[in-house]
Structures are given as C-alpha cells and as structure tokens.
Amino acid sequence: MLRFTRWSVALTLVAGLTLTSCEDHRIALPGQSIQPTGPKPDFAPTIRPQMQAVIEELQRLNPTPLYTLTTEQARSRPSFKDAVNAVLDKNGIAPPKAMVTKSERMIPGAGGTPIRVVLYKPEGASASAPVIVYFHGGGWVIGSPEVYEYSTLALAQNTGAVVMSVDYRLSPENKFPTAHEDAYAAYKWAKENAAAIGGNAAKVAVAGESAGGNMAVTVSMMARDRGLGLPVHILSVFPVANNDLFSPSYNQYANAVPLSRPLVQWFVERYFNTPADGDSPLISLTDVANLSGLPPTTIIGAEIDPLQSEGMALREKLKSVGVPVTYQLYEGVTHEFFGMYAVVPEAAQAQALAATQLRNAFK
C-alpha cells in the first residue's frame, strides 16, 4: 500500500517493500529485481534495466508505431500502464494500490460543455484537504485519467490532497485550444467549488505530465491573466514547452520509445488548426509566453526523451523572470516513466520529490 507520514514520503507497495523519502535514494522496490531480455535499444544506450524491461513489454504489446495508425486505432492500443502491469504480472508482483477513495463527477468545461473529472481522496483526509488539479498526457489526442492513474494515486496518497484528474476533450474532434480551455475551466471550478469535493480553495495546486505538464503551466498563466487566484504550486513532469522539433534532445532521441519525433508530429497535426498554433504562448512557453508572476514550480525531466531540452529551457526561462524553480533530471529513463514506480526506481524517486514539493507548498 501507499502510505503518507508527516515527516517523509513512503510508497509502500503491495509486496510490502518501501520507498524512502527523496532525500534518501536507497530505494527498495520489488521491481528492482526485474531485468530486460534483450540488448539495449539503439535509441537508448544509457537506459536502466527496469526501464528497458517496460519498454520491451510495450513494444511487444504495441509493435506498430502509433503514428502510423488512425486516431481511433491509437486510442485502443495498450498503453505504458498496460506494459507496467504486464511486467509486474510476469514477475509475480502485484500492482501498487493506495488507500484512496475514487469517484467521478461532471463539471463545466470550456463554454459550459460538461467534462468528466476523476477524484482521488486519501482515506482519512481532512474535510478541507489540499487539492491537486491534474492533467494527463497523450499529446492532446490520446490518454485518459485511467491511463495515468498510478501517478494520481501516488500523488493523492503521498500528499494527503484530493487529486482531481481532468478528462479534458481530445483532438482532432476538439482542436486547439479546447484542451487548454477545458483545463482552465476545471481549475476555475476547483477554486470556486473546492468545498464540494472536500478541498480547501486556498490550497490548490496544478500538476500534469507531458501535454498535461504544459497545461499545468498555461492554466497558471491563464489564472494570472484572468484575475483568478493562482495555484500554490506547479508540478510539471516532462512538459511540452516549445514548438521546436529539432532541439538537441529531439535530435538525439528522435526515434525513442514511447515518444518520438514522428509521434509528436502526429499529435500536433491533430491538435493544431494550423502550424501557426505552435507559436501560441500556450504552446511555446520558453520563447513566447510571459511566465512572470507564476507560483513556485517543480519540473521533472527524463533523460531519454525528445522533450528533455525544452524542460531545461523552461527552467531557465522561469528562473530568468524570478519564479522559484526546482528541476530534477532522471537519467536512464524515458518519457512516461513517472507513474512506473512499481518497477522503475527512478520513478519512485521522482514521486517522492514531487510529493515533498507539494506538501511543502500546502503548509
């Protein structure tokens, strides 16, 4: 189980082994015994064994690149979460569980259109707990709260906060900036209705991964510009932060798995109305957006990731305008590693860091 204590983050997995706090990287996890079956892939000579085992399983489940499929086909394919579960199953390890109550409700999205949110409330949470509004990844085209559920379960358990995972509308059915506006509408709803979900409107943070990591930042920009109270913290995990598909990390990891340059091109072709949308401040955070006045931000990066360079550039841009930033790059891991803590030790470290930063912001 996943347990939270006042003094440290402790992810206690079903098998009974514990992840210690982020200050102590001597992590014991059942998945550390997992080993890959083949040689390291050409795109990732530095990949760690447990990360490689997940990627091998993902490629077995998903041998056809998503960018060669239709949108509907891509959405139906197994996800990285399925690959993690398959690795655990093959090694006789139970998936992680948390002492968290899960529920759903509909709230108004952009323009009043109803959207679904999934709520994760830790057992024993106070009647006025902190709130984390969370945005999943998937390039604004695929993904769901369920695919990213290991992340939200851990965030809820390890921070004591109610996590509201937003099922924003996807493209190409809903083009730019629909997802961004849905994300803002969800944050606005949480600020105005925190008590309805057992939350404290004065302690609302935003978090997200990949496209969701982008929206955690842009929602904060929109709140600043539209006169809504700012979140107390931004957690941005391997975020989309620029429109440059030829950055150093894009060139180095152009053919990486699970995220590659062709897949990003496939995503943006579906989300953008025209290529000019990529130059919007909602996309190009590092060279167009005004980031001044944003709340303290934690950025988590993955080494084997086309988005690595822009995450680093986002750190520098935030620092340049006086925003407090904590940045941590995890070596030997790929995009989407954050929710893989049952197998990948670096993911457990990243979860511990994220929880510590959020808990401090909620004080």
Side-chain angles (χ1 to χ4, degrees), residues 286-308:
T286 61
D287 59 355
V288 177
N290 172 17
L291 303 182
S292 62
L294 294 188
T297 300
T298 299
I299 302 171
I300 288 173
E303 178 193 5
I304 306 165
D305 184 358
L307 302 183
Q308 182 205 130

mmCIF file of all heavy atoms in Angstrom, residues 286-308:
data_model
loop_
_atom_site.group_PDB
_atom_site.id
_atom_site.type_symbol
_atom_site.label_atom_id
_atom_site.label_comp_id
_atom_site.label_asym_id
_atom_site.label_seq_id
_atom_site.Cartn_x
_atom_site.Cartn_y
_atom_site.Cartn_z
ATOM 1 N N THR A 286 8.681 28.639 -23.737
ATOM 2 C CA THR A 286 10.054 29.077 -23.493
ATOM 3 C C THR A 286 10.472 30.283 -24.319
ATOM 4 O O THR A 286 11.437 30.950 -23.968
ATOM 5 C CB THR A 286 11.045 27.931 -23.768
ATOM 6 O OG1 THR A 286 10.931 27.526 -25.134
ATOM 7 C CG2 THR A 286 10.757 26.742 -22.866
ATOM 8 N N ASP A 287 9.778 30.585 -25.418
ATOM 9 C CA ASP A 287 10.229 31.707 -26.242
ATOM 10 C C ASP A 287 9.139 32.714 -26.583
ATOM 11 O O ASP A 287 9.433 33.737 -27.191
ATOM 12 C CB ASP A 287 10.893 31.207 -27.530
ATOM 13 C CG ASP A 287 9.973 30.349 -28.377
ATOM 14 O OD1 ASP A 287 8.857 30.049 -27.941
ATOM 15 O OD2 ASP A 287 10.385 29.983 -29.493
ATOM 16 N N VAL A 288 7.892 32.458 -26.198
ATOM 17 C CA VAL A 288 6.807 33.397 -26.494
ATOM 18 C C VAL A 288 6.067 33.811 -25.228
ATOM 19 O O VAL A 288 5.735 34.979 -25.043
ATOM 20 C CB VAL A 288 5.802 32.790 -27.514
ATOM 21 C CG1 VAL A 288 4.648 33.754 -27.751
ATOM 22 C CG2 VAL A 288 6.503 32.444 -28.826
ATOM 23 N N ALA A 289 5.803 32.868 -24.350
ATOM 24 C CA ALA A 289 4.923 33.111 -23.200
ATOM 25 C C ALA A 289 5.542 34.067 -22.189
ATOM 26 O O ALA A 289 6.766 34.123 -22.015
ATOM 27 C CB ALA A 289 4.586 31.789 -22.527
ATOM 28 N N ASN A 290 4.676 34.780 -21.482
ATOM 29 C CA ASN A 290 5.060 35.586 -20.331
ATOM 30 C C ASN A 290 4.885 34.725 -19.091
ATOM 31 O O ASN A 290 3.763 34.401 -18.705
ATOM 32 C CB ASN A 290 4.178 36.836 -20.246
ATOM 33 C CG ASN A 290 4.390 37.608 -18.957
ATOM 34 O OD1 ASN A 290 5.392 37.420 -18.253
ATOM 35 N ND2 ASN A 290 3.444 38.476 -18.615
ATOM 36 N N LEU A 291 5.969 34.338 -18.471
ATOM 37 C CA LEU A 291 5.929 33.445 -17.310
ATOM 38 C C LEU A 291 6.114 34.188 -15.993
ATOM 39 O O LEU A 291 6.201 33.551 -14.936
ATOM 40 C CB LEU A 291 7.011 32.363 -17.451
ATOM 41 C CG LEU A 291 6.953 31.500 -18.710
ATOM 42 C CD1 LEU A 291 8.051 30.442 -18.677
ATOM 43 C CD2 LEU A 291 5.592 30.859 -18.890
ATOM 44 N N SER A 292 6.158 35.485 -16.020
ATOM 45 C CA SER A 292 6.384 36.241 -14.794
ATOM 46 C C SER A 292 5.189 36.108 -13.862
ATOM 47 O O SER A 292 4.044 35.987 -14.292
ATOM 48 C CB SER A 292 6.631 37.714 -15.112
ATOM 49 O OG SER A 292 5.498 38.290 -15.747
ATOM 50 N N GLY A 293 5.468 36.119 -12.581
ATOM 51 C CA GLY A 293 4.419 36.081 -11.581
ATOM 52 C C GLY A 293 3.800 34.732 -11.338
ATOM 53 O O GLY A 293 2.809 34.624 -10.604
ATOM 54 N N LEU A 294 4.362 33.679 -11.909
ATOM 55 C CA LEU A 294 3.811 32.338 -11.691
ATOM 56 C C LEU A 294 4.267 31.800 -10.334
ATOM 57 O O LEU A 294 5.265 32.245 -9.763
ATOM 58 C CB LEU A 294 4.248 31.389 -12.805
ATOM 59 C CG LEU A 294 3.717 31.702 -14.198
ATOM 60 C CD1 LEU A 294 4.069 30.570 -15.164
ATOM 61 C CD2 LEU A 294 2.216 31.943 -14.202
ATOM 62 N N PRO A 295 3.552 30.821 -9.796
ATOM 63 C CA PRO A 295 3.910 30.272 -8.486
ATOM 64 C C PRO A 295 5.151 29.379 -8.574
ATOM 65 O O PRO A 295 5.584 29.003 -9.670
ATOM 66 C CB PRO A 295 2.676 29.452 -8.107
ATOM 67 C CG PRO A 295 2.048 29.089 -9.406
ATOM 68 C CD PRO A 295 2.298 30.244 -10.320
ATOM 69 N N PRO A 296 5.741 29.026 -7.442
ATOM 70 C CA PRO A 296 6.883 28.101 -7.438
ATOM 71 C C PRO A 296 6.562 26.839 -8.235
ATOM 72 O O PRO A 296 5.443 26.320 -8.174
ATOM 73 C CB PRO A 296 7.095 27.805 -5.960
ATOM 74 C CG PRO A 296 6.575 29.026 -5.265
ATOM 75 C CD PRO A 296 5.390 29.470 -6.080
ATOM 76 N N THR A 297 7.574 26.376 -8.950
ATOM 77 C CA THR A 297 7.367 25.305 -9.929
ATOM 78 C C THR A 297 8.398 24.204 -9.751
ATOM 79 O O THR A 297 9.581 24.479 -9.528
ATOM 80 C CB THR A 297 7.466 25.869 -11.362
ATOM 81 O OG1 THR A 297 6.459 26.881 -11.538
ATOM 82 C CG2 THR A 297 7.280 24.786 -12.408
ATOM 83 N N THR A 298 7.943 22.959 -9.851
ATOM 84 C CA THR A 298 8.831 21.797 -9.883
ATOM 85 C C THR A 298 8.742 21.163 -11.262
ATOM 86 O O THR A 298 7.642 20.855 -11.734
ATOM 87 C CB THR A 298 8.442 20.767 -8.812
ATOM 88 O OG1 THR A 298 8.546 21.372 -7.521
ATOM 89 C CG2 THR A 298 9.346 19.541 -8.877
ATOM 90 N N ILE A 299 9.884 20.984 -11.898
ATOM 91 C CA ILE A 299 9.944 20.356 -13.219
ATOM 92 C C ILE A 299 10.719 19.055 -13.090
ATOM 93 O O ILE A 299 11.834 19.041 -12.555
ATOM 94 C CB ILE A 299 10.622 21.264 -14.257
ATOM 95 C CG1 ILE A 299 9.895 22.605 -14.375
ATOM 96 C CG2 ILE A 299 10.689 20.574 -15.617
ATOM 97 C CD1 ILE A 299 10.635 23.633 -15.214
ATOM 98 N N ILE A 300 10.124 17.973 -13.572
ATOM 99 C CA ILE A 300 10.769 16.659 -13.573
ATOM 100 C C ILE A 300 11.035 16.256 -15.015
ATOM 101 O O ILE A 300 10.128 16.293 -15.851
ATOM 102 C CB ILE A 300 9.880 15.632 -12.851
ATOM 103 C CG1 ILE A 300 9.890 15.920 -11.344
ATOM 104 C CG2 ILE A 300 10.331 14.199 -13.135
ATOM 105 C CD1 ILE A 300 8.925 15.094 -10.547
ATOM 106 N N GLY A 301 12.283 15.909 -15.311
ATOM 107 C CA GLY A 301 12.666 15.553 -16.668
ATOM 108 C C GLY A 301 13.156 14.122 -16.759
ATOM 109 O O GLY A 301 13.621 13.537 -15.775
ATOM 110 N N ALA A 302 13.053 13.560 -17.968
ATOM 111 C CA ALA A 302 13.581 12.231 -18.273
ATOM 112 C C ALA A 302 14.720 12.382 -19.274
ATOM 113 O O ALA A 302 14.627 13.183 -20.207
ATOM 114 C CB ALA A 302 12.485 11.340 -18.851
ATOM 115 N N GLU A 303 15.776 11.611 -19.091
ATOM 116 C CA GLU A 303 16.921 11.718 -19.998
ATOM 117 C C GLU A 303 16.557 11.296 -21.414
ATOM 118 O O GLU A 303 16.834 12.011 -22.386
ATOM 119 C CB GLU A 303 18.082 10.850 -19.490
ATOM 120 C CG GLU A 303 19.289 10.891 -20.418
ATOM 121 C CD GLU A 303 20.329 9.820 -20.107
ATOM 122 O OE1 GLU A 303 20.079 8.966 -19.228
ATOM 123 O OE2 GLU A 303 21.380 9.832 -20.760
ATOM 124 N N ILE A 304 15.926 10.130 -21.571
ATOM 125 C CA ILE A 304 15.702 9.535 -22.889
ATOM 126 C C ILE A 304 14.348 10.014 -23.406
ATOM 127 O O ILE A 304 13.357 9.291 -23.441
ATOM 128 C CB ILE A 304 15.776 7.993 -22.798
ATOM 129 C CG1 ILE A 304 17.098 7.582 -22.151
ATOM 130 C CG2 ILE A 304 15.641 7.359 -24.182
ATOM 131 C CD1 ILE A 304 17.137 6.137 -21.684
ATOM 132 N N ASP A 305 14.317 11.280 -23.767
ATOM 133 C CA ASP A 305 13.045 11.944 -24.048
ATOM 134 C C ASP A 305 13.292 13.103 -25.005
ATOM 135 O O ASP A 305 14.106 13.985 -24.707
ATOM 136 C CB ASP A 305 12.450 12.455 -22.731
ATOM 137 C CG ASP A 305 11.074 13.075 -22.889
ATOM 138 O OD1 ASP A 305 10.568 13.154 -24.014
ATOM 139 O OD2 ASP A 305 10.504 13.482 -21.858
ATOM 140 N N PRO A 306 12.585 13.157 -26.134
ATOM 141 C CA PRO A 306 12.716 14.312 -27.019
ATOM 142 C C PRO A 306 12.423 15.636 -26.327
ATOM 143 O O PRO A 306 12.918 16.682 -26.749
ATOM 144 C CB PRO A 306 11.683 14.039 -28.119
ATOM 145 C CG PRO A 306 11.507 12.563 -28.130
ATOM 146 C CD PRO A 306 11.672 12.139 -26.699
ATOM 147 N N LEU A 307 11.640 15.623 -25.250
ATOM 148 C CA LEU A 307 11.262 16.853 -24.554
ATOM 149 C C LEU A 307 12.268 17.295 -23.500
ATOM 150 O O LEU A 307 12.059 18.312 -22.833
ATOM 151 C CB LEU A 307 9.894 16.679 -23.889
ATOM 152 C CG LEU A 307 8.721 16.306 -24.798
ATOM 153 C CD1 LEU A 307 7.424 16.250 -24.008
ATOM 154 C CD2 LEU A 307 8.594 17.284 -25.962
ATOM 155 N N GLN A 308 13.366 16.567 -23.368
ATOM 156 C CA GLN A 308 14.324 16.910 -22.313
ATOM 157 C C GLN A 308 14.815 18.350 -22.441
ATOM 158 O O GLN A 308 14.844 19.103 -21.452
ATOM 159 C CB GLN A 308 15.521 15.963 -22.341
ATOM 160 C CG GLN A 308 16.533 16.215 -21.249
ATOM 161 C CD GLN A 308 17.931 15.742 -21.588
ATOM 162 O OE1 GLN A 308 18.886 16.493 -21.449
ATOM 163 N NE2 GLN A 308 18.071 14.492 -22.015
#
